[in-house]
């Protein structure tokens, strides 16, 4: 695991993690990278298979400056990522649809983090458990201490990958549309933002639970 | 534009669009591909730059069996995609967090569509407008008829890409956790689903609008 950098350390952009389009939307604090990653439920993992990109949704977790991914040892994308080939992990939150007065200026409010690098397969037993814990706690906080932990057979079937967060970019758009002056002056067209957000609904207990089993606090709190 | 296939036509999977992991979650109707694509706000577009994947969120729209993407003519990923190099477009909806009795069986309920192919740059003026209309209407239904349409300069700054939907896969997970019998019998641990969903909040008018300008029906209806 990489030692944690200061949350205010710059993201140390390389050429490909330097945002060129919409550079005013680029964020450069490590704390903002953490915030975007920690607020997500899933990431989109990109690998190259043959000469083609493959992008699949997957769970992840973070410990300091390391992102952990897990999956079946049989999954093609995980296997490809585990060879040390380049990967890209992207986490996106859509915060709103930006309605402009002109079609050209329609946009989205969003927060996105893009991490480039080469993943390493985690072999060390302690780090494997720590990585799996990070993924579980990320997706379902409190669950590592509630659920049965993985046994030897389950661990053998699970690949754990680590990706260092040293090449990453963060982009954030907020606020109202940016329209041309003439369109604002012309009037007659609505403009603004329709905010979007992800909500958690009432937990649905497994039908195999005894009737009226209450959801424990770590579930009910969502 | 490709002629529309029957919504019940199979997705005609190739090797890479054949789902191997969790094959029971694979859907094979074209109508299900349309449903997943049409319900999304953004996709994740994967391209290969150098030898590395790059995955970026972007807007899209669909007409029959063609997906349209647009962006600045200056954007690197769009330029890469426009060369006819392989791309991958993935749309994912997270529908819930699946809490199991064992960490190993934690999962997500989701719907995802993965489209493989080579995008073509759209040159025909009518198809360019149709593609831009599809993207705008997808992100903000009703807006193409409300907002000012793109002028010549704006059109010149916009790249429109088309990707045929003939190599795609759809995967859907629904329902409660699938736990081992021994864990169910042992009892004492909660299991179930915490559903998640994206909601639209009250529209926020642009501060430059006259006070009390009402949101038009196509906006208020969200």
């Amino acid at each position: 695991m990489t030692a944690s950098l200061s949350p205010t350390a710059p993201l140390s952009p390389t050429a490909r993690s330097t945002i060129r389009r919409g550079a005013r939307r680029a964020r450069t604090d490590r704390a903002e990278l953490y915030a975007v990653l920690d607020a997500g439920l899933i990431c989109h993992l990109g690998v190259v298979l043959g000469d083609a990109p493959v992008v699949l949704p997957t769970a992840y977790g973070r410990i300091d400056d390391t992102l952990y991914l897990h999956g079946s040892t049989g999954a093609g994308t995980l296997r490809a990522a585990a060879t040390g080939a380049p990967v890209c992990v992207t986490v996106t939150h859509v915060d709103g649809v930006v309605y402009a007065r002109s079609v050209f200026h329609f946009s989205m409010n969003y927060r996105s983090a893009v991490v480039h690098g080469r993943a390493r397969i985690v072999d060390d037993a302690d780090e494997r458990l720590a990585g799996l814990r990070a993924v579980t706690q990320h997706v379902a906080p409190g669950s590592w201490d509630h659920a049965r932990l993985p046994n030897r057979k389950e661990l053998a079937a699970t690949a754990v990958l680590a990706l260092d967060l040293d090449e990453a970019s963060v982009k954030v758009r907020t606020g109202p549309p940016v329209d041309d002056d003439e369109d604002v002056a012309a009037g007659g067209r609505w403009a603004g933002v329709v905010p979007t957000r992800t909500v958690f609904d009432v937990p649905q207990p497994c039908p195999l639970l005894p009737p009226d089993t209450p959801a424990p606090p770590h579930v009910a709190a969502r």
Side-chain angles (χ1 to χ4, degrees), chain A:
Chain A
M1 278 173 269
T2 316
S4 184
L5 297 174
S6 156
T8 55
L11 288 178
S12 317
T14 56
R16 65 181 170 186
S17 64
T18 298
I19 290 168
R20 291 164 204 290
R21 305 296 313 166
R24 69 189 179 287
R25 297 180 187 160
R27 302 299 169 96
T28 52
D29 280 357
R30 195 149 279 272
E32 299 191 86
L33 173 64
Y34 298 161
V36 172
L37 294 175
D38 294 353
L41 272 177
I42 57 154
C43 65
H44 281 82
L45 167 67
V47 298
V48 181
L49 290 181
D51 66 342
V54 176
V55 178
L56 293 181
T58 191
Y60 66 95
R62 182 180 73 84
I63 301 177
D64 299 334
D65 284 297
T66 305
L67 208 64
Y68 287 95
L69 309 172
H70 77 325
S72 160
T73 50
T77 45
L78 258 282
R79 275 210 309 268
T83 61
V87 303
C88 181
V89 170
T90 300
V91 173
T92 305
H93 308 277
V94 177
D95 294 325
V97 179
V98 180
Y99 289 70
R101 292 155 181 90
S102 66
V103 161
F104 186 73
H105 286 298
F106 269 65
S107 188
M108 310 286 271
N109 281 338
Y110 64 93
R111 292 159 287 149
S112 70
V114 178
V115 183
H116 305 276
R118 294 172 189 269
R120 65 184 162 84
I121 188 126
V122 180
D123 287 320
D124 177 78
D126 288 343
E127 189 184 358
R128 276 169 59 79
L129 267 187
L132 291 174
R133 182 182 187 281
V135 175
T136 303
Q137 291 286 86
H138 181 90
V139 171
S143 291
W144 189 260
D145 299 322
H146 182 82
R148 175 177 66 71
L149 296 186
N151 59 35
R152 190 177 303 196
K153 189 180 154 198
E154 291 167 345
L155 284 171
T158 306
V160 180
L161 298 184
L163 177 63
D164 287 341
L165 295 177
D166 45 26
E167 190 176 357
S169 59
V170 177
K171 219 166 157 181
V172 176
R173 192 203 187 280
T174 60
V178 178
D179 270 307
D180 294 343
D181 292 343
E182 310 88 85
D183 292 322
V184 175
R189 294 190 166 101
W190 193 82
V193 175
V194 177
T196 59
R197 109 193 114 84
T198 300
V199 295
F200 293 97
D201 284 331
V202 177
Q204 301 169 338
C206 174
L208 300 179
L209 280 180
D212 304 320
T213 304
H218 72 281
V219 175
R222 284 211 116 156

